[in-house]
Amino acid sequence: MMEWTLVILFGAAVLLFILSYSKKDSVKVDEQMEQLASTFGDEMNVLQEKIRNIEIDAEITAQEAGVLDMSSEKRSLLREVLDLHKRGYSSESIALKTKYPENEIEILLTPYIKTKNERRTVANDI
């Protein structure tokens, strides 16, 4: 009988010992999650600050360039046209998609299209 009592007490001690380590691990996990959340929050604040600065810089640049005089409808059309152009659509396709005349689409895109350097190099003249 005494032997069974010792075996049960020893088993209980081992079980409590294992449980104490698992509780320490859960505390560590909680601390790591808290630290991760704090770091994530700090990074979000930094990103929001950078976005705010970019928006302010864009507004200053637009004001200096006189772009703010453009109506919101024309700005949204220009955004859509530029987006389609950057994705590889032709002027004709953009005109069909936006239901605007092709010549108006080309006029909108003209300042944003990079022209190719058409000068000949000396090597080609030989």
Side-chain angles (χ1 to χ4, degrees):
M1 181 75 171
M2 181 75 121
E3 296 156 353
W4 285 103
T5 306
L6 287 174
V7 170
I8 291 173
L9 286 175
F10 184 72
V14 169
L15 183 65
L16 290 173
F17 186 70
I18 292 171
L19 285 175
S20 71
Y21 275 109
S22 67
K23 288 197 181 225
K24 286 181 184 178
D25 289 343
S26 67
V27 169
K28 287 180 185 176
V29 170
D30 288 344
E31 289 174 0
Q32 289 174 348
M33 291 296 289
E34 196 172 305
Q35 185 179 11
L36 183 64
S38 174
T39 304
F40 183 70
D42 292 343
E43 289 178 9
M44 286 297 293
N45 288 337
V46 168
L47 286 174
Q48 286 175 343
E49 175 91 19
K50 286 181 180 181
I51 289 171
R52 221 173 328 188
N53 289 339
I54 289 171
E55 288 173 345
I56 291 169
D57 289 344
E59 188 175 338
I60 291 169
T61 304
Q63 182 68 35
E64 289 176 352
V67 177
L68 291 179
D69 297 337
M70 190 183 305
S71 70
S72 63
E73 182 181 314
K74 189 173 179 182
R75 284 184 86 144
S76 65
L77 172 66
L78 183 58
R79 277 190 197 115
E80 183 180 1
V81 167
L82 284 173
D83 180 48
L84 292 171
H85 175 70
K86 287 189 182 274
R87 288 196 276 156
Y89 284 79
S90 67
S91 298
E92 188 177 311
S93 300
I94 295 171
L96 289 172
K97 196 165 184 77
T98 58
K99 298 180 175 105
Y100 276 89
E102 187 176 347
N103 61 349
E104 189 173 329
I105 298 300
E106 289 175 1
I107 290 170
L108 285 172
L109 286 175
T110 301
Y112 301 97
I113 295 175
K114 295 179 182 175
T115 58
K116 293 181 181 176
N117 190 1
E118 296 179 359
R119 295 183 296 167
R120 296 176 66 176
T121 62
V122 176
N124 290 337
D125 289 340
I126 296 177

